[in-house]
């Protein structure tokens, strides 16, 4: 479907532009401003140029947090995407059971982030939590607030618990949009279950899976509240992801300059990776349109 | 299908165990989702001494005291009211500005449209942590700090791009011929948009409203940074009260359960549209 050229469409976009400019561009400009200056409190600023950037690029703090962040996003994508597809394939197709599944699965998505953290904080505690208590009764030593590995496992399971349903819902939507004749044709050809998945369902789900991967990547890359409530970034710095580190710097220590420089680099990393994703998606889309 | 016996038989004989595997997977997954929530609910009906001293799967002494603590103390229940106010404001604002913009993106080509769309999406990618401090200063300087509208506007940062994104997908599903016919019939743009177009994409608006509601309801960092007393959301009150009163686990659990209920109600109403909403989405 060809779109017509109409420059007046700008008028329709204008409200969004004004609103987003107010809530994005103006604050972003203050961040840029701070990132080049040092302050001694009470609004006295002086120009330091690129000093904060150089200092940050040299400091291990940023690189460590970035490394943890990339590892975390990678792990949860590797778990949540296949698991979400599996769940979507297993869901009932219609009727009351499908409705019940949809409602129950969506529950974790609607729980405020800090309540998610609280739920797992309670659930994993060895004294009062079901999980922690069960594990310690089984003789497995587990303590997410002392042991870095346990903390990581808990944060990852928490994220899988929290967000796999989103992937599953998206994949389910993609599956529902496949017309019946596709399956009938596959049945006539006596295609195996795997081939039905590989050649019909997976290509048809590609669009929604791309959205799922992009959304999960972006949101996992900004994760703050859940690990903050669960572990506070600890033990040590084991679960200090980029956002936690940034908030510590900006609102905790009130180091405006370094925090601003950190913010901009953080944003640029997300932007860069997302841009690559987006471009790939658009290209695939166009290729498909040509066929 | 019944004429061709062989494939029917084959699929019949293999699909029964497969359906069982499917049911098993979905059951295990739902158990995994629900057990932590069950634990929270159970805890909210226990007294603190029972939580800390004994380990029980059901409350020995069923108590509603935790809930009555919350529902009788204004510093608790006003948190829910505040959250509702800014979440509703945010949903309305997001939809109002996103509807025309999504229409423009779905129907017209104009100067810089693709770049503009990506730029909008980048705001969905902006970490709230980056914006916490500048927002605090911006809204303080226009004396909107600690108001509901400040939080509602701040949440537009990620909800407006998302709303445009989802609505655009829905609008693309509406044939252009409908617009053209309406314009030929003498409908002006505003009248066409409100009387014909919006009713046609009502499910899309429902899904969008659901997502705006959801992302605004669950967010903590910005809403906590931008409020102190008058507009403090329930999520922030929870964190404060936990640290102040030490280990009041029962009340904390009850407050948590109460934050889940509105979402559960909303999802029940849009359950049939959610799946459809994403299937039509852009990309």
């Amino acid at each position: 479907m060809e779109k017509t050229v109409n420059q007046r469409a700008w008028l329709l976009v204008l409200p969004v532009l004004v609103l987003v400019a107010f809530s994005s561009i103006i604050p972003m400009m203050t961040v840029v401003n701070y990132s080049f200056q040092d302050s001694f409190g009470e609004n006295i600023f002086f120009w330091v140029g690129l000093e904060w950037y150089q200092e940050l690029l040299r400091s291990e703090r940023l690189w460590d947090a970035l490394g943890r962040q990339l590892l975390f996003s990678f792990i949860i994508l590797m778990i949540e995407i296949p698991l979400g597809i599996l769940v979507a394939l297993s869901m009932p197709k219609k009727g009351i059971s499908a409705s019940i599944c949809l409602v129950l699965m969506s529950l974790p998505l609607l729980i405020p982030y800090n309540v998610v953290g609280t739920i797992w904080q309670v659930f994993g505690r060895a004294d009062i939590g079901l999980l922690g208590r069960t594990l310690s009764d089984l003789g497995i030593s587990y303590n997410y607030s002392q042991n870095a590995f346990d903390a990581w496992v808990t944060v990852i399971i928490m994220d899988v618990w929290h967000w796999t349903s989103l992937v599953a819902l998206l994949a389910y939507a993609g599956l529902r949009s496949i017309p019946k004749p596709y399956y009938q044709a596959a049945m006539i050809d006596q295609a195996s279950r795997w081939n039905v998945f590989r050649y019909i369902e997976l290509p048809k789900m590609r669009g929604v899976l791309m959205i799922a991967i992009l959304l999960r990547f972006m949101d996992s890359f900004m994760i703050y509240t859940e690990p903050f409530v669960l572990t506070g970034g600890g033990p040590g710095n084991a679960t200090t992801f980029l956002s936690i580190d940034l908030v510590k710097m900006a609102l905790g220590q009130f180091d405006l300059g370094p925090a601003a420089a950190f913010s901009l680099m953080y944003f640029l990393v997300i932007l860069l990776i997302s841009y690559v994703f987006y471009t790939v998606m658009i290209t695939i889309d166009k290729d498909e349109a040509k066929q | 299908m019944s004429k061709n016996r062989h494939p029917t038989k084959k699929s019949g004989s293999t699909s029964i165990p497969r359906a069982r595997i499917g049911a098993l997977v979905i059951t295990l997954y739902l158990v995994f989702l629900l057990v932590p929530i069950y634990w929270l609910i159970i805890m909210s009906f226990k007294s603190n001494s029972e939580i800390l001293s004994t380990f029980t799967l059901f409350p020995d002494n069923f108590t509603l005291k935790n809930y009555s603590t919350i529902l009788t103390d204004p510093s608790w229940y006003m948190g829910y009211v505040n959250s509702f106010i800014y979440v509703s404001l945010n949903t309305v604002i997001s939809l109002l500005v996103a509807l025309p913009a999504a229409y423009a993106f779905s129907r017209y080509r104009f100067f810089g449209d693709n770049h503009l769309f990506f730029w909008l999406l980048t705001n969905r990618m902006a970490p709230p942590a980056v914006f916490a401090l500048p927002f605090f200063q911006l809204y303080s300087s226009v004396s909107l700090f600690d108001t509901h509208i400040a939080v509602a506007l701040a949440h537009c940062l990620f909800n407006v791009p998302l709303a445009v994104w989802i609505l655009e997908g829905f609008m693309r599903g509406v044939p252009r011929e409908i617009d053209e016919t309406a314009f030929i019939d003498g409908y002006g743009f505003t009248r066409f948009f409100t009387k014909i177009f919006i009713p046609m994409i009502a499910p899309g608006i429902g899904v969008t409203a659901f997502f705006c509601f959801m992302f605004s309801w669950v967010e903590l960092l910005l809403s906590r940074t931008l409020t102190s007393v008058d507009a403090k959301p329930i999520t922030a009150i929870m964190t404060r009260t936990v640290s102040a009163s030490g280990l009041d686990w029962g009340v904390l659990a009850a407050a948590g359960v109460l934050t889940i209920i509105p979402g559960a109600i909303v999802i029940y109403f849009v359950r049939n549209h959610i799946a459809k909403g994403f299937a039509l989405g852009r990309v």
Side-chain angles (χ1 to χ4, degrees):
Chain A
M1 191 157 56
E2 267 310 300
K3 298 180 193 171
T4 47
V5 176
N6 181 353
Q7 300 300 347
R8 276 190 305 168
W10 266 97
L11 291 176
L12 297 173
V13 187
L14 203 63
V16 166
L17 279 187
V18 172
L19 186 66
V20 178
F22 182 69
S23 61
S24 151
I25 296 177
I26 297 174
M28 206 39 131
M29 283 303 114
T30 41
V31 176
V32 173
N33 191 23
Y34 282 138
S35 74
F36 294 110
Q37 305 197 50
D38 197 359
S39 73
F40 289 113
E42 292 304 314
N43 286 323
I44 305 161
F45 289 93
F46 64 91
W47 180 262
V48 293
L50 291 173
E51 199 179 300
W52 297 130
Y53 292 91
Q54 287 163 346
E55 192 177 294
L56 269 175
L57 286 175
R58 277 195 304 263
S59 80
E60 285 186 4
R61 179 174 174 174
L62 177 78
W63 293 111
D64 287 353
L66 182 64
R68 281 191 288 267
Q69 187 69 69
L70 285 170
L71 182 65
F72 175 73
S73 291
F74 178 75
I75 292 176
I76 63 110
L77 279 178
M78 293 310 283
I79 298 175
E80 286 174 17
I81 301 294
L83 183 62
I85 295 174
L86 179 69
V87 169
L89 288 172
S90 310
M91 273 177 73
K93 303 287 179 284
K94 49 180 177 278
I96 185 82
S97 54
S99 288
I100 293 173
C101 271
L102 281 175
V103 173
L104 290 181
M105 276 171 50
S106 312
L107 263 183
L109 300 176
L110 282 147
I111 301 177
Y113 297 162
N114 66 321
V115 180
V116 172
T118 308
I119 288 176
W120 282 89
Q121 187 190 23
V122 168
F123 195 58
R125 278 176 68 109
D127 52 347
I128 59 172
L130 186 60
L131 176 72
R133 184 66 174 255
T134 313
L135 284 177
S136 65
D137 284 352
L138 290 172
I140 302 165
S141 86
Y142 167 83
N143 188 336
Y144 65 79
S145 60
Q146 300 291 324
N147 183 312
F149 180 76
D150 292 348
W152 262 82
V153 171
T154 314
V155 171
I156 286 167
I157 292 179
M158 175 171 71
D159 201 78
V160 169
W161 179 84
H162 192 184
W163 288 112
T164 304
S165 292
L166 183 74
V167 181
L169 282 179
L170 284 164
Y172 183 71
L175 284 175
R176 289 284 71 73
S177 70
I178 301 175
K180 270 245 169 65
Y182 280 76
Y183 288 108
Q184 286 162 357
M187 216 161 88
I188 290 166
D189 291 346
Q190 301 194 14
S192 68
R193 183 72 191 85
W194 168 254
N195 281 338
V196 171
F197 175 70
R198 174 68 189 79
Y199 294 106
I200 297 177
E201 292 173 333
L202 200 57
K204 283 280 163 192
M205 277 196 291
R206 208 194 46 220
V208 280
L209 283 182
M210 280 291 189
I211 300 180
I213 293 172
L214 194 59
L215 273 179
R216 279 317 300 135
F217 167 75
M218 290 176 337
D219 287 345
S220 68
F221 217 77
M222 312 171 198
I223 190 165
Y224 169 79
T225 311
E226 301 96 313
F228 180 76
V229 172
L230 186 74
T231 61
N237 277 330
T239 52
T240 301
F241 300 115
L242 285 172
S243 273
I244 297 181
D245 208 11
L246 176 58
V247 172
K248 250 184 218 169
M249 207 188 261
L251 297 174
Q253 303 158 356
F254 229 71
D255 288 336
L256 292 186
F262 189 155
S263 297
L264 286 178
M265 288 198 282
Y266 184 10
F267 193 28
L268 281 180
V269 171
I270 297 194
L271 216 57
L272 193 73
I273 302 177
S274 300
Y275 185 74
V276 172
F277 261 117
Y278 185 78
T279 317
V280 170
M281 276 153 75
I282 295 286
T283 323
I284 293 176
D285 229 26
K286 275 187 188 148
D287 286 350
E288 200 176 55
K290 271 183 204 155
Q291 282 167 11
Chain B
M1 210 154 65
S2 58
K3 278 177 196 165
N4 192 341
R5 253 182 154 175
H6 185 60
T8 319
K9 199 178 166 193
K10 189 180 176 194
S11 75
S13 64
T14 52
S15 73
I16 292 169
R18 197 170 288 140
R20 280 206 192 126
I21 295 171
L24 185 70
V25 169
I26 206 80
T27 313
L28 284 178
Y29 181 67
L30 287 179
V31 167
F32 168 61
L33 291 189
L34 294 180
V35 166
I37 298 178
Y38 167 80
W39 197 247
L40 186 78
I41 295 173
I42 282 307
M43 232 169 93
S44 71
F45 291 117
K46 292 178 182 175
S47 65
N48 263 326
S49 56
E50 189 184 339
I51 292 169
L52 292 171
S53 60
T54 55
F55 189 78
T56 45
L57 292 175
F58 296 99
D60 283 339
N61 300 306
F62 188 87
T63 172
L64 288 171
K65 201 178 132 285
N66 298 321
Y67 287 95
S68 69
T69 308
I70 292 172
L71 295 175
T72 52
D73 181 355
S75 75
W76 268 108
Y77 69 70
M78 278 314 286
Y80 290 97
V81 177
N82 290 333
S83 293
F84 261 114
I85 295 174
Y86 74 70
V87 168
S88 315
L89 272 174
N90 171 268
T91 308
V92 172
I93 296 171
S94 300
L95 279 175
L96 280 181
V97 298
L99 275 167
Y103 182 81
F105 282 118
S106 73
R107 290 296 191 261
Y108 302 121
R109 296 199 62 80
F110 48 94
F111 178 70
D113 52 354
N114 277 331
H115 296 285
L116 195 63
F117 197 83
F118 182 74
W119 175 71
L120 273 179
L121 277 187
T122 60
N123 291 297
R124 179 65 183 71
M125 302 161 196
V130 168
F131 284 91
L133 183 67
F135 272 171
F136 174 74
Q137 293 175 321
L138 175 68
Y139 288 108
S140 300
S141 69
V142 291
S143 45
L144 281 175
F145 177 71
D146 201 19
T147 56
H148 302 102
I149 192 76
V151 184
L153 285 176
H155 284 180
C156 283
L157 175 72
F158 46 83
N159 270 349
V160 166
L162 190 75
V164 173
W165 192 13
I166 299 176
L167 283 174
E168 200 264 0
F170 271 94
M171 289 180 180
R172 259 208 288 183
V174 179
R176 292 174 57 88
E177 286 72 28
I178 290 175
D179 310 26
E180 282 153 15
T181 318
F183 291 140
I184 291 167
D185 287 351
Y187 275 86
F189 179 75
T190 327
R191 210 165 131 242
F192 155 73
F193 201 72
T194 49
K195 292 270 187 248
I196 298 177
F197 198 70
I198 287 186
M200 287 193 70
I201 53 158
I205 295 178
V207 171
T208 314
F210 164 74
F211 275 97
C212 290
F213 176 93
M214 163 182 149
F215 281 112
S216 183
W217 178 255
V218 297
E219 206 276 338
L220 170 75
L221 183 55
L222 290 178
S223 55
R224 190 186 61 188
T225 312
L226 290 177
T227 54
S228 61
V229 183
D230 294 340
K232 202 167 187 67
I234 182 60
T235 45
I237 289 175
M238 279 179 71
T239 53
R240 182 194 60 187
T241 312
V242 170
S243 54
S245 65
L247 297 168
D248 202 347
W249 294 107
V251 175
L252 178 69
V257 171
L258 288 176
T259 63
I260 300 175
I261 292 171
I265 294 169
V266 172
I267 191 116
Y268 184 76
F269 283 114
V270 291
R271 68 188 182 284
N272 291 325
H273 296 296
I274 296 257
K276 209 191 289 169
F278 272 115
L280 296 171
R282 191 184 165 104
V283 182

